[in-house]
Every structure is written in C-alpha cells, then in structure tokens.
Amino acid sequence: MTAAASRRVRPQEWIAVDPGVMKTVWMITQADVQRGWQRLCEYTEHARIATGVPGVAIAIAWLPEQGPPLVETLGAGCRLLGSQAPAADNQVTADTVFPLASLSKPLASTVMTTLIPGTSDGWEEKVPSLGLAVTPTFASLFAHRSGLPDHAGDLLEDMGHDRKAVLERLRLLALDRTGGYAYTNFGLTAAACQAALHVGKEWEDVAHDRLYAPLGMKSTSSRYSDFLKRENRTWAHRLRANGEWYHAKPLPDGKPNPDAQRNPDAQSPAGGVTSSANDMALWLRLQLGDLGLGFDAEFFRWLSLTHRPYVPGIYKPGVPREPHTSGYGLGWNVTDREGQPLKYSHSGAFGLGAATSVELWPEDRLGVVVLTNGEPVGVAEALCAAFRGFVSDPGLEVAALLKPDFDSFVHPGHKKTFVERFQEAMRQELHPPARASDTANPARVISAKYGLLGRYQSAFYGTIEFLVEQDRMFMLQGPAKQRFDVTATHKDDVFVYDSHGENGTDNNRIAFDRATPNQVTVWNLFVSTPLTLKSEGDTLCPVSGEIRAWRVRASKPGQVRLTLARRGVNGFRQSPLMTVAVGDNRFVGADLPVLEGDMLGFSVDDRVYWQHSTDDYVIEADIDREGTFTRVP
C-alpha cells in the first residue's frame, strides 16, 4: 500500500466552489477498501483466465475524511502473447503503458479545465473552424451534442486521412438540429485543438505541459510515437472466432498491418492517450479532489463542471447543476440520483486490441481504473463493477462471482457468471447484425471489359477506383490507395469486400445502380444519426436517409414494427413486424427511406401507440446515409 500526506477538497469547499454539488458523506472505511482490493486482486485472475485477456493493470484510489490517500496498483498477465523474451520481462506491471482508447476523453476534459479559464466564453466558446451550419461549442462537442452524426469522421481516419482532412470534411454532413446525442470522436478533437490554440501550442504539448508533467504522470503521452518508444509497453491482441487470442503481425512484404496496433494520432484528444496504472492512480486522486497534487481550488471549480450531464448554459461556476439528471457530461458518463452524482465513468475500446474502464464514486471518494491489452470483451467493466461490489458488501465473496447466478444484461432471466454477463453485453454492442448480407461467389470471373470499372468520387470520402487484375477485381481507397480484393456475388451488380482497420468488417456490400449507371454505393462507408423514439407518440426525423438497423429493449415479449408518416401524404409506411423477446433485440432490414421532418413511430402487436402501454418498450433507430460515389473521367 502506498500513502502520501495530502489535503482533500473538503465537502464544504466543494459547496463553496460549486453550489450544485451536495455535501459528501463518507460511508465506507479503510477496512472496506482494503477488503475490496484484496478480493479484486483474487477475482482479476479468475476473470482474466475466463476471458483469455492477455494482460491487465489496475489502480484504485480512496481519499478518506482524514489522513493520507490510499492507493493500490496491480499488474497481471503478459504484455505480448508468444513473446520470446524471458517471462519476467514480458510481465505486465503497474508501470506498463497501455493505450487508453476513449478513456482519453475524461483526461482531455481535465486538460481543458486548465485552458477554459483563459478563454472568453469558457465552455460555451463557439468552434467555428468546423464550418457547421449550426456552430457548436466546446461543451456541445465534448458532450457529443453538436448535431454531427454518430462517429462522424472515424471511417475517414481508417481510410488514411489525417486530422486536418477529417475535420475539414465534417462540414459536408447533414446535422441533427434537435441537439440529440451522437458519440463523435472528431467533434471532441476539434474542440480540444481549438482550445490549445489559445496558448499557441499543439494539443499534445498542452496535455503534457498542463496535466501530465505537473501531475507527475511520467509514462503518459498523447503521441503514438512516444508509446512505441516505451520499453515497458503492451501490444494489441484480438480474438479469433474460435476464441483464440492473437497479435496481428506485420505483413509478409514488411508493410504495416492495418489490423495490428492502432495509431490514433488523428483523434488524439478523444482516443490517443497512453498511460500506466501508476500514472492513472495520480489522475484518479485529482478527480476525487486531492489538493495535495499541486492544483488549486480554482482548478477544482472548473473541474466539477465536467461532471455535469449536458444541459446548454450550465457550464459556468456558480450555476447549479440540473437536478435529477443522468447522462453524458464533458467527457464523462454521469449517473445521478436526486441531484447528487453517484458515479462518473467511461470506457475505452479499440477493436484492434485495447479495452479500458474507469469508475469514480464521488460520495465515497473512491475510484478504480482497469487497463487491458485485448479487444473489448467486457472484462474491464466487470472488474470495475466487481470492485464496487466487494467494497460495498462485506458478504460478497469471490466465489459468488464465479457461479452462473447473475441475470444476463441482454436477456434477463438467462443466468450467467458475473464476467459472462459483461462479455455478452459487449458482444451485443460491438458486433450488431450486418446491415447487408450477400453471399460471395469467388468462382465468377470479372472481365477487364466489365462496364463498372473506373474511378468514382465522393465529396466526403474522396476517390475510390475499381480495377481488374487477372480476372480479379480490386478496389483502391483513400489517399494512400489502400487495396481491397473485391469478390463477385450471384447478383450482377453486387459485390463484397472485407475492410480493415479499427472499423473493419467482413463481407461489405458494393452495389452498382443500373438505374444510375454512373453511381456505386459502398455500404460500410456510412454515417448514422441515432434516434430514440418517444413513447407517447411519433418522433420527428431530424435528417434524411434510410432506416435499416433498429433496436428494441423490451420488458415483455411482443411484436413490434416501425411506422412512418409524411406530411401531405395519406397513410404511412411500415417495416416488417418483428418478434421481440424480453431484453435487448437488434434488427436490420427495416428499409424505410425517411426525409427530414417525417414522423417515425411504432406499433406493438399491430396496435398504434395510444392503444397500449409503451413503457414496456424502448426503441432506437439509426438513420443511415451510405457512401455513394459518382463516376469521374
């Protein structure tokens, strides 16, 4: 156990600097935390073996009412599977450096806390550099409510476009002007980079100078090149369909493997930080209010604002937080009860091989962070939740978590072990049904005279080109002309290919439109605006596009379909009737073209919404706009 003399922000001080934060009551003891830590250490190895995740590092921090902080760290497993190095040199320690992925976001909002007081309008400063029709603010971009589509720009990054190119093209996308939530890495990146300009530096230097160096985070950086130089770092690992973990090696020709370690520099503020458990322990203490780390009360006045669920106009000291709200704040998920924040949390996920999670409980001044070097399988979130359980419940033993006694998150009533329920939920979230499914026909020969070959252009995605070599079609994509093999199907105008990179998927549809012979649609290149349907009636479609994928969270079984009404048009269109089970249901194939201003609703058992209780169903739909390219000379 490590301990250092330190002074915390007292409850009265929190009230003085932010009237919206209620008095903290210490409800746990050092014995509770120590017991929880000991059981977490034991359970970590069980969870690691059960999931196969190669390496794990954990840090916890607790600030008691009096006395020094309690900090503990742990390293388990290996840095690289199959390494030829001695086992001791390949061991994960508390100093091993991991990619944080989206756990970078709450670190970015911490850095912003040091910059915001020097701006003219604080968190409400506008970001005109994006050129959006509705100018967003620092706050709306950090809270993912700028109007940009979900994950806008991420596919451009996969295609090889740099940060500047991605940010310049976001202006071409249709905006959701209703202020809906849509998670957007490059929106947050734009805000962070503009804030850094206030001190005349690049974001990566600001993060180092304003947070990492003053806090003593010696192994932390926002540059990928620094990570590669670390002697004690991890490698990324992925999971095969047969359950085997592996590290993607360089290609035979020596070129970098696009499915290996991810370089996230383009979106560094949102996902490019690398750090260790020991460094993250320092940051946990800072978030919990430790004044012994060199940051003054003014800093904490602004830091407390990042923990508020987003409501426009509340990100100023002295303005009370909205009561009874939970949601996404400024780089944080915030869980609230009666105006009192119960938990701040965030996860990070690279499909190419990193998964992280942090949870803070401000009432108890307690926090935990988990870092892993494998693709997301839910183990990081499971370990955070297990720690909270071990601390809160003296009767909770490790053995209890190993039994299949826990309700599935996806299908309540189905029993799982503690970590299995997180595994299943993560699979459901990260691997939804494909929007299009086509059967490849590799035997079909594609002639060089095939009329669909040539170059095609999209203002947003750039140029793609279709060529034939030895009767096999391939596609060149992005500024580096990445090559993808294209396979025929049993349909004359439909082909498939496997994409790679962070958002890589197999069997993606390429559809040439005979009705518009100069156009081709690449189905995995799309942006999506998420929409949660109102339970009391129809919901306004904020953008035009097509609904293909939708989701129903049901508390009772039934048959559900989407309905679409258009102003000035009699009747309505509807999707196929789908049977839903209790739990989380995912569907594709709705095939509902929508226009901005259309009204989207739903029916249950073919009864319209006012004829039944809609509290039993929460329905979400994605409005897609696929990447359509036009032939160029």
Side-chain angles (χ1 to χ4, degrees):
M1 184 184 304
T2 59
S6 178
R7 188 170 77 89
R8 260 82 55 218
V9 179
R10 306 289 296 150
Q12 292 80 10
E13 292 175 294
W14 280 100
I15 293 172
V17 300
D18 187 345
V21 177
M22 297 172 62
K23 179 177 178 180
T24 297
V25 179
W26 275 266
M27 302 175 63
I28 60 174
T29 67
Q30 181 168 322
D32 293 327
V33 179
Q34 289 174 322
R35 178 191 66 248
W37 174 248
Q38 291 166 359
R39 293 179 183 176
L40 178 64
C41 292
E42 179 185 347
Y43 180 62
T44 296
E45 194 59 17
H46 286 287
R48 198 178 68 80
I49 292 173
T51 60
V53 171
V56 178
I58 304 175
I60 68 163
W62 177 60
L63 306 186
E65 185 173 3
Q66 294 181 346
L70 187 159
V71 174
E72 294 281 11
T73 57
L74 166 73
C78 67
R79 298 189 292 128
L80 173 62
L81 285 175
S83 171
Q84 301 302 309
D89 294 339
N90 193 33
Q91 173 72 33
V92 170
T93 70
D95 287 318
T96 300
V97 179
F98 291 73
L100 299 189
S102 284
L103 183 46
S104 303
K105 291 179 176 66
L107 273 82
S109 68
T110 311
V111 176
M112 289 287 287
T113 297
T114 72
L115 295 169
I116 287 296
T119 64
S120 56
D121 295 313
W123 279 105
E124 301 303 327
E125 177 171 317
K126 294 185 180 297
V127 183
S129 59
L130 286 175
L132 302 184
V134 178
T135 305
T137 64
F138 286 156
S140 66
L141 288 165
F142 262 78
H144 307 299
R145 290 183 178 271
S146 65
L148 286 167
D150 187 67
H151 285 84
D154 286 9
L155 290 169
L156 291 178
E157 180 189 13
D158 275 1
M159 294 173 73
H161 294 280
D162 61 17
R163 180 188 299 171
K164 181 175 182 291
V166 175
L167 296 182
E168 285 176 348
R169 296 186 185 198
L170 294 181
R171 62 182 174 81
L172 301 173
L173 299 174
L175 294 184
D176 173 2
R177 297 170 185 259
T178 67
Y181 173 87
Y183 195 86
T184 312
N185 291 305
F186 279 97
L188 185 149
T189 296
C193 291
Q194 178 170 307
L197 293 177
H198 281 280
V199 292
K201 295 182 178 181
E202 294 183 349
W203 171 261
E204 293 77 8
D205 294 324
V206 172
H208 174 269
D209 297 345
R210 295 293 187 104
L211 180 63
Y212 309 152
L215 200 52
M217 300 174 74
K218 297 179 180 179
S219 298
T220 303
S221 174
S222 292
R223 285 192 170 93
Y224 184 66
S225 58
D226 290 338
F227 171 70
L228 293 181
K229 295 173 186 175
R230 307 286 187 198
E231 183 176 343
N232 185 5
R233 72 168 178 92
T234 59
W235 277 258
H237 297 85
R238 304 184 69 184
L239 193 59
R240 301 187 196 276
N242 64 2
E244 176 187 8
W245 286 91
Y246 71 99
H247 168 68
K249 298 180 180 179
L251 299 174
D253 59 6
K255 293 181 179 179
N257 188 335
D259 291 329
Q261 196 88 40
R262 182 182 179 189
N263 177 353
D265 275 353
Q267 52 168 272
S268 177
V273 180
T274 55
S275 189
S276 67
N278 275 334
D279 278 8
M280 293 300 287
L282 292 165
W283 177 73
L284 287 177
R285 289 169 54 192
L286 185 71
Q287 288 290 330
L288 293 170
D290 193 331
L291 279 179
L293 295 170
F295 291 78
D296 60 19
E298 178 69 11
F299 169 84
F300 288 99
R301 284 167 58 87
W302 290 97
L303 183 66
S304 66
L305 302 183
T306 67
H307 303 147
R308 296 177 172 189
Y310 179 77
V311 176
I314 68 165
Y315 293 107
K316 297 177 182 178
V319 177
R321 62 182 283 135
E322 291 287 311
H324 313 296
T325 56
S326 296
Y328 200 93
L330 303 179
W332 285 101
N333 293 298
V334 182
T335 304
D336 181 286
R337 181 185 63 198
E338 297 181 354
Q340 171 75 336
L342 295 182
K343 183 175 73 174
Y344 314 137
S345 63
H346 212 288
S347 289
F350 283 167
L352 292 181
T356 59
S357 188
V358 62
E359 293 194 9
L360 301 174
W361 299 277
E363 279 189 331
D364 293 321
R365 294 297 184 72
L366 179 68
V368 58
V369 63
V370 179
L371 314 176
T372 78
N373 60 350
E375 70 173 74
V377 294
V379 69
E381 292 78 8
L383 291 174
C384 286
F387 176 61
R388 179 63 189 182
F390 291 140
V391 171
S392 302
D393 183 359
L396 181 63
E397 300 284 350
V398 170
L401 303 192
L402 308 181
K403 298 177 181 179
D405 293 339
F406 298 88
D407 270 344
S408 162
F409 290 132
V410 178
H411 299 296
H414 296 200
K415 297 299 182 180
K416 305 283 183 180
T417 67
F418 191 75
V419 74
E420 284 174 349
R421 67 205 299 243
F422 286 89
Q423 283 182 281
E424 182 186 39
M426 190 64 73
R427 280 195 302 270
Q428 182 88 338
E429 192 65 31
L430 298 184
H431 303 285
R435 279 164 161 76
S437 180
D438 298 286
T439 303
N441 181 18
R444 181 177 160 202
V445 174
I446 304 173
S447 168
K449 297 180 180 180
Y450 198 78
L452 301 178
L453 303 179
R455 295 173 65 244
Y456 294 77
Q457 180 77 32
S458 160
F460 185 70
Y461 292 106
T463 301
I464 60 175
E465 187 171 5
F466 295 95
L467 302 166
V468 166
E469 183 178 82
Q470 298 179 348
D471 294 331
R472 293 296 179 216
M473 184 188 286
F474 62 94
M475 174 174 55
L476 300 180
Q477 194 181 94
K481 296 188 180 298
Q482 300 176 49
R483 175 170 171 157
F484 300 89
D485 292 331
V486 176
T487 305
T489 69
H490 295 278
K491 302 175 183 178
D492 289 342
D493 305 327
V494 177
F495 301 81
V496 292
Y497 84 107
D498 297 341
S499 61
H500 56 221
E502 176 61 24
N503 299 284
T505 52
D506 295 341
N507 210 38
N508 300 294
R509 176 184 290 179
I510 300 172
F512 293 89
D513 187 353
R514 285 293 185 185
T516 311
N518 290 325
Q519 287 192 343
V520 59
T521 299
V522 184
W523 275 50
N524 70 301
L525 299 181
F526 69 92
V527 293
S528 181
T529 298
L531 187 65
T532 299
L533 275 60
K534 297 177 182 178
S535 61
E536 66 272 16
D538 290 346
T539 303
L540 182 74
C541 291
V543 295
S544 300
E546 184 154 351
I547 295 174
R548 293 193 173 93
W550 55 298
R551 174 180 189 173
V552 181
R553 294 187 183 93
S555 59
K556 72 176 186 179
Q559 290 186 307
V560 179
R561 74 164 92 237
L562 300 177
T563 61
L564 181 72
R566 183 164 297 164
R567 192 170 300 162
V569 178
N570 291 329
F572 56 86
R573 298 188 61 190
Q574 57 189 17
S575 69
L577 192 65
M578 306 301 293
T579 300
V580 301
V582 174
D584 190 22
N585 303 264
R586 307 288 183 103
F587 304 111
V588 292
D591 297 332
L592 280 177
V594 300
L595 297 178
E596 182 179 352
D598 285 352
M599 301 302 293
L600 188 66
F602 65 95
S603 65
V604 177
D605 299 330
D606 271 342
R607 291 177 294 165
V608 290
Y609 61 86
W610 58 79
Q611 294 176 320
H612 59 78
S613 170
T614 55
D615 293 337
D616 299 318
Y617 305 94
V618 175
I619 300 178
E620 300 171 354
D622 292 335
I623 303 176
D624 295 346
R625 292 173 300 290
E626 271 76 19
T628 298
F629 297 75
T630 301
R631 188 192 293 270
V632 295

